[in-house]
Amino acid sequence: MSEGAKPVSDAAAVRGADEQPKWRAAKRPDLAEAAALTFGARRFVSRIGLGIPFLFILTTIAVSSSLGQPLRGGWDTGELVLWALGTLLLLTPFIAAFVVMLTARRGGLVWTTALIYAVVTGLLGVGVDITVLGTDASSASLTLVSALIVQVVLLAPVCAAVAFLVHIVRESARR
């Protein structure tokens, strides 16, 4: 470099040193804005939420009644008790979701998780119920029990794990 000459610097490099890359400078979603945009939908869901497990309870009772026909012909107390116990067993996921939703804060994480659990297990149950209505009665009980096992043993822990992960993400976003 000659004497008196000014050092040449890369202006783009100097400007780029102070700025973040575009992918890092992207605006993080504002949770307040998202909450404001979804207020109507969340309000609607919180108002009808308790009705969803109740709807699946009624559907399960209707399908169980059509399969078992507990009051056909004469009164057989043994059959009626067996039908009631079997139906109560099939209602386990929906009764559990309903009780959780009654005791949890409406619209909170636990309440929402119970609602999602009720919807997923209910849709699975309705699918199984439709399939069972078209099959013979001897294989219906096995199909209903296997659906119950999937609902209680598989889906309940999955919903709980997802709720736990959502809680962790929310807590880390607050910090």
Side-chain angles (χ1 to χ4, degrees):
M1 194 186 258
S2 65
E3 230 177 278
K6 295 183 183 176
V8 178
S9 63
D10 187 4
V14 172
R15 268 194 321 262
D18 296 335
E19 297 175 3
Q20 291 182 359
K22 287 185 181 181
W23 61 271
R24 289 183 75 198
K27 184 180 173 188
R28 288 181 64 181
D30 185 15
L31 296 179
E33 288 176 17
L37 291 174
T38 61
F39 180 73
R42 289 182 297 121
R43 188 174 192 180
F44 176 73
V45 168
S46 72
R47 286 188 177 174
I48 67 160
L50 277 175
I52 292 177
F54 190 70
L55 177 70
F56 287 124
I57 286 171
L58 292 178
T59 304
T60 303
I61 290 172
V63 169
S64 177
S65 295
S66 69
L67 286 174
Q69 300 174 357
L71 299 176
R72 69 179 181 273
W75 271 77
D76 185 8
T77 308
E79 279 187 28
L80 186 61
V81 169
L82 188 61
W83 171 83
L85 289 175
T87 302
L88 188 61
L89 185 66
L90 293 174
L91 295 175
T92 302
F94 309 116
I95 292 172
F98 191 74
V99 169
V100 167
M101 290 174 74
L102 281 176
T103 58
R105 183 178 59 85
R106 188 169 62 157
L109 181 61
V110 173
W111 187 90
T112 305
T113 303
L115 177 64
I116 292 170
Y117 173 70
V119 168
V120 170
T121 58
L123 292 176
L124 175 74
V126 167
V128 169
D129 291 346
I130 290 171
T131 305
V132 165
L133 287 175
T135 62
D136 59 341
S138 62
S139 66
S141 61
L142 180 62
T143 305
L144 291 174
V145 169
S146 63
L148 177 68
I149 290 170
V150 168
Q151 289 171 333
V152 174
V153 175
L154 182 66
L155 291 177
V158 168
C159 284
V162 168
F164 183 68
L165 291 175
V166 167
H167 176 72
I168 290 172
V169 169
R170 282 185 182 173
E171 289 298 317
S172 67
R174 287 183 185 163
R175 293 180 190 171

